[in-house]
Amino acid sequence: MTDSKNRPGADGGDALVSALTAVGADHVFCSSGSEWAPVWESLARRHRDGEPAPHYLDLTHETVAVGMATGYGLLRRRPQAVLLHAAPGLLQGSMAVHGALLAGVPMLVASSESTTYGDGPGQDPGGQWYRNLSIVGGPHQVAQPFTKWANEAGDISTLPTMVTRAAELAWRAPAGPAYLNIPLEILLEEWDGREAKPVVAPGSTHSSPEEVDPVAQLIREAENPVIVTETAGREAGGFEALVAFAEAWGIPVVEPDSAVCGNFPRTHPLHAGSDIGPWMDEADLILLVNCRAPFYPPSRRPSKAKIVVIDQVPQRPHIVYQVLFADAYLEGNVTHTLRQLAKRARDLDPAAVALRRAAQEERHAAEQAAVAAAEATAEQSEGVDPVLVAATLRRLLAGRDGIVVDETITHSRVVKRHLRTADPDAYFYVQGGLGQGIAVALGVKLAAGQRRPVVLTVGDGAFTYNPVIPSYDAAKAYDLPVLIVVFNNRVYKSMNLNHRRFYPEGAAAETGEWLGTDLHRLPRLAAFAEPFGMHTETVDTADALAPALERALKAVSDGTTAVVDVLVTR
């Protein structure tokens, strides 16, 4: 038993808030449930008495709570707290929790159950737990498949340290959500005052020189090496370390379509586009840097290249099937490993380096010319081409240090290619399922502050999956203005493309009956923002696009969320 700092009336709610404060959570993202009354009482008392506590956000949908914690964590890279309601709230938020797992965002997710159902001593938890809210095995059993770790706080005496353990597990590689089931009876139980120890940042891991030196020699001997990365930029300092590594050795960098954040400046001469295909037969060394699924189909093996995997956790436990064809692994912290390799860039063959630099400069110039040609064609097209939308956003965001959160599907390649982001933490792709984009953008805005504009690019299909009204409520309630740009082609295009691909000469192709794809019946998507006093525009001509986006960005800079629904041609 530790010395008690307890006050009369302190209970599990105080214990939880004390623990969340100790582990360094800046925010508690809560989708309200009846179990959290002890937490609300503790926060009210702390606010009254001027005591420290995380900032509490009262949110009206589970996806919004988890999505905002995800967006915040993408920038801050520290675990935050998410409170959901019982098993139903956990299930409602599960898609976003799974997205946080895929995105590698640390967070502590908690919800509750009843252990007495009204038959035990103490306060009555309420009949809803007996009738509706409980689930066989407890909600922690439900959470196991889509979290790093899921457990139950079985006693008030262990609650603070269980919170510490969950936060520490969430923060360590591979970072992701940890879940804690906190029964209501424990939240209502008297607390003896023992507190959680503050959580410190994880220690660094390093690949040894005995591991790094042979890889450096492989690079030195390679004539045509290439770097392929999906999430190097997600690591603290990873973006800058990858640039230094690639420049030191003169190695091109491919960001495949599966890349989910900005990893390397797309304006850099060493950026080699998004297609790994040409390298499958040409490369003699492939360096997979935080690249979980580089080849598709997975059995598509490079013809002659040796493969080095640089990843702190290369075999991701949450991926069902993963094929890397590795010849060597460097499993230290990615940023540190890249820095070590950059320092070893010596005794290079100047002729070989000059040859591959010249080849890459030719590829880069060709890509720049192709981008410019596509944009010129888009400017002359009838209607609003998606390329024009992305290019216009790039021009308007230039010099503003903006951040783009992307939840498009068929337009995602266009968005990445024509935004041409060049800075760390400037681009993120939403993971784990559609319907989180607005919330993730709001969380990014919360972390970025008022200085950096945040833009969500989203398809009309993805937009309709979002909890739009609760998201707009959060944007307004917590002063988080973002720009939402809808790429509206009035169809679930990816679904339609798959139907056509699987059945090119089928009955639907013959009759024109394409089911599951038509979105023409939806009303004006921007109109949903009007009751919240937000800036709204609908654009259907190329001439109107840039002025509309300029007005929208002005509204955002003035503190108002703006929604621009762009009727694109494809």
Side-chain angles (χ1 to χ4, degrees):
M1 181 73 67
T2 59
D3 293 336
S4 173
K5 299 178 182 177
N6 195 6
R7 292 182 231 7
D11 58 18
D14 288 293
L16 179 56
V17 173
S18 174
L20 294 177
T21 303
V23 302
D26 301 319
H27 301 281
V28 174
F29 300 88
C30 182
S31 177
S32 299
S34 54
E35 67 263 52
W36 301 122
V39 169
W40 299 333
E41 180 62 22
S42 175
L43 289 170
R45 181 187 59 74
R46 287 168 179 263
H47 295 160
R48 180 197 66 192
D49 298 343
E51 296 179 2
H55 177 231
Y56 177 86
L57 291 94
D58 215 347
L59 305 166
T60 55
H61 196 281
E62 293 85 354
T63 299
V64 177
V66 182
M68 287 185 65
T70 299
Y72 190 86
L74 286 170
L75 261 65
R76 296 299 177 91
R77 299 179 173 88
R78 299 196 315 272
Q80 304 301 309
V82 178
L83 305 184
L84 306 177
H85 178 39
L90 174 63
L91 289 167
Q92 180 71 47
S94 60
M95 185 261 291
V97 177
H98 181 241
L101 180 69
L102 297 182
V105 172
M107 65 177 66
L108 168 59
V109 181
S111 71
S112 195
E113 65 177 337
S114 174
T115 54
T116 66
Y117 306 105
D119 277 343
Q123 297 192 56
D124 178 10
Q128 71 273 21
W129 296 94
Y130 178 53
R131 301 185 190 99
N132 300 319
L133 297 180
S134 295
I135 193 164
V136 174
H140 49 292
Q141 298 285 348
V142 174
Q144 283 182 352
F146 51 84
T147 57
K148 275 188 67 178
W149 176 86
N151 213 330
E152 177 184 13
D155 191 88
I156 185 66
S157 62
T158 61
L159 174 59
T161 46
M162 286 290 274
V163 170
T164 299
R165 175 163 167 72
E168 289 183 333
L169 281 165
W171 206 352
R172 275 149 181 83
Y179 172 80
L180 194 59
N181 169 22
I182 310 173
L184 176 55
E185 286 82 355
I186 289 176
L187 289 168
L188 291 167
E189 191 173 343
E190 185 178 347
W191 175 43
D192 65 11
R194 68 183 72 189
E195 296 181 336
K197 185 180 184 300
V199 172
V200 297
S204 298
T205 60
H206 294 259
S207 296
S208 70
E210 292 78 11
E211 296 168 325
V212 176
D213 286 341
V215 171
Q217 187 60 28
L218 285 175
I219 302 173
R220 196 170 289 112
E221 295 170 354
E223 293 183 0
N224 199 17
V226 65
I227 298 164
V228 184
T229 183
E230 292 176 335
T231 61
R234 188 182 62 195
E235 312 298 330
F239 187 101
E240 297 88 343
L242 182 58
V243 172
F245 169 55
E247 288 179 341
W249 291 91
I251 305 176
V253 178
V254 173
E255 288 186 286
D257 291 331
S258 53
V260 297
C261 62
N263 304 289
F264 196 83
R266 286 188 169 256
T267 55
H268 197 289
L270 287 174
H271 196 286
S274 60
D275 186 8
I276 192 175
W279 300 93
M280 297 298 284
D281 293 325
E282 296 176 9
D284 56 357
L285 179 65
I286 297 177
L287 300 152
L288 300 179
V289 181
N290 264 27
C291 198
R292 57 186 178 171
F295 313 118
Y296 190 82
S299 59
R300 184 191 182 200
R301 186 172 193 151
S303 61
K304 62 182 179 182
K306 289 187 176 181
I307 298 174
V308 176
V309 174
I310 301 173
D311 194 323
Q312 190 169 355
V313 187
Q315 297 295 339
R316 304 294 170 88
H318 60 267
I319 296 180
V320 175
Y321 183 58
Q322 187 182 18
V323 180
L324 298 174
F325 297 121
D327 294 296
Y329 287 102
L330 292 178
E331 298 186 40
N333 174 274
V334 167
T335 301
H336 296 320
T337 300
L338 294 176
R339 289 170 178 164
Q340 288 184 71
L341 286 170
K343 291 176 181 177
R344 286 164 168 79
R346 53 183 179 268
D347 301 324
L348 307 183
D349 181 347
V353 173
L355 192 64
R356 69 172 176 252
R357 280 186 183 274
Q360 172 53 30
E361 287 173 3
E362 185 176 339
R363 281 189 294 266
H364 185 69
E367 169 64 6
Q368 286 184 309
V371 167
E375 293 178 5
T377 299
E379 289 176 358
Q380 300 303 317
S381 297
E382 195 171 318
V384 187
D385 190 283
V387 167
L388 183 62
V389 183
T392 303
L393 278 172
R394 182 190 71 236
R395 290 193 290 269
L396 294 177
L397 289 173
R400 294 174 181 250
D401 197 19
I403 305 172
V404 175
V405 176
D406 187 18
E407 198 179 27
T408 61
I409 299 295
T410 53
H411 298 120
S412 62
R413 295 177 185 177
V414 167
V415 169
K416 280 191 276 193
R417 188 185 193 201
H418 292 276
L419 279 177
R420 298 181 65 74
T421 53
D423 300 309
D425 290 341
Y427 172 86
F428 299 101
Y429 190 78
V430 176
Q431 294 287 282
L434 299 176
Q436 310 169 62
I438 305 177
V440 173
L442 293 176
V444 167
K445 182 64 177 177
L446 182 65
Q450 296 303 318
R451 183 183 62 83
R452 300 187 69 182
V454 175
V455 179
L456 171 68
T457 53
V458 60
D460 52 326
F463 180 88
T464 60
Y465 283 135
N466 275 261
V468 173
I469 301 305
S471 298
Y472 288 168
D473 172 66
K476 184 155 185 139
Y478 296 105
D479 191 22
L480 299 171
V482 298
L483 169 58
I484 300 170
V485 180
V486 184
F487 285 64
N488 188 346
N489 56 11
R490 283 80 74 201
V491 65
Y492 281 121
K493 192 65 175 286
S494 63
M495 302 179 193
N496 183 255
L497 290 174
N498 275 331
H499 192 159
R500 293 174 184 271
R501 179 164 61 94
F502 296 145
Y503 303 98
E505 298 178 0
E510 180 183 343
T511 65
E513 185 182 6
W514 300 106
L515 301 176
T517 64
D518 186 16
L519 295 176
H520 281 87
R521 65 182 182 271
L522 293 178
R524 289 193 306 116
L525 298 184
F528 293 98
E530 291 173 0
F532 292 89
M534 295 173 175
H535 181 92
T536 65
E537 305 243 8
T538 300
V539 175
D540 59 3
T541 66
D543 290 343
L545 177 65
L549 291 175
E550 285 178 354
R551 289 190 294 269
L553 281 169
K554 175 65 165 56
V556 169
S557 68
D558 290 340
T560 301
T561 288
V563 183
V564 181
D565 183 18
V566 185
L567 308 184
V568 293
T569 55
R570 56 186 173 95

